[in-house]
Amino acid sequence: MSNNYFFSVRAAERITSKKVKRVSLWRNGAVLVHFKDGKINTVDPLDFQRDFVDFRQQKSREILLRRITKTLYACKSAVHEKVYSVVVEPDGLRCNCKDWEIQLEEELQRPCCKHCYAVLRDLGCSSLQDYLKMPF
Ligand SMILES: [Zn+2]
């Protein structure tokens, strides 16, 4: 996957609580964060992975859900008018929002956006892995 979406400046700022200019990657997998104050630090790639999930899980709490059918949810955020639909499938959840589509384009194996996390919670699952373990 392209790294800009995953190892983003925004994510680096959330992780480090500092102003970030850019993020660069080394061939050995190390992530370098260049701060606006000129300093440079390495950040554990796992921190980005955790942030990716945590950030979306946190945002999912603002989502209002309406279950249309057994496998279809209408999702609306408390602040925006636009309604997104999440389809529940045995091998994952599908959403029609930009974040989900970018994750798919970026070749994430199982995209999961804030809408999907809201639906997962409604299904009684704490994570996508948790959901995939559910018997059907
Ligand atoms: Zn979504």
Side-chain angles (χ1 to χ4, degrees):
M1 68 187 274
S2 90
N3 297 305
N4 289 347
Y5 200 63
F6 199 68
F7 299 106
S8 69
V9 166
R10 289 278 171 78
E13 290 189 331
R14 286 194 297 269
I15 294 163
T16 62
S17 307
K18 287 179 74 178
K19 288 280 171 207
V20 172
K21 196 162 79 182
R22 65 187 181 93
V23 179
S24 61
L25 301 173
W26 279 4
R27 279 173 197 276
N28 65 5
V31 183
L32 285 190
V33 176
H34 305 251
F35 296 105
K36 284 201 171 149
D37 64 8
K39 291 188 177 127
I40 300 173
N41 241 330
T42 56
V43 172
D44 190 334
L46 284 175
D47 286 344
F48 280 88
Q49 205 175 317
R50 267 190 291 270
D51 173 79
F52 196 84
V53 174
D54 290 351
F55 180 63
R56 284 163 178 77
Q57 277 185 335
Q58 201 183 318
K59 296 282 249 180
S60 76
R61 298 184 185 282
E62 301 160 10
I63 305 295
L64 309 169
L65 294 180
R66 199 155 57 87
R67 196 168 193 170
I68 311 288
T69 67
K70 205 165 177 279
T71 56
L72 177 66
Y73 280 84
C75 309
K76 190 187 159 308
S77 88
V79 283
H80 302 290
E81 278 307 308
K82 196 158 164 57
V83 177
Y84 294 97
S85 20
V86 171
V87 180
V88 180
E89 293 175 336
D91 62 343
L93 278 69
R94 183 180 294 273
C95 185
N96 61 346
C97 74
K98 195 82 198 146
D99 182 37
W100 196 94
E101 279 164 14
I102 292 174
Q103 288 185 43
L104 188 70
E105 281 164 21
E106 300 287 339
E107 292 169 1
L108 240 84
Q109 230 179 3
R110 290 196 173 86
C112 203
C113 59
K114 62 182 178 183
H115 311 106
C116 291
Y117 280 114
V119 169
L120 283 173
R121 193 173 312 110
D122 193 65
L123 295 170
C125 303
S126 58
S127 66
L128 192 56
Q129 283 73 18
D130 197 14
Y131 165 76
L132 294 169
K133 278 185 236 145
M134 271 172 68
F136 280 92

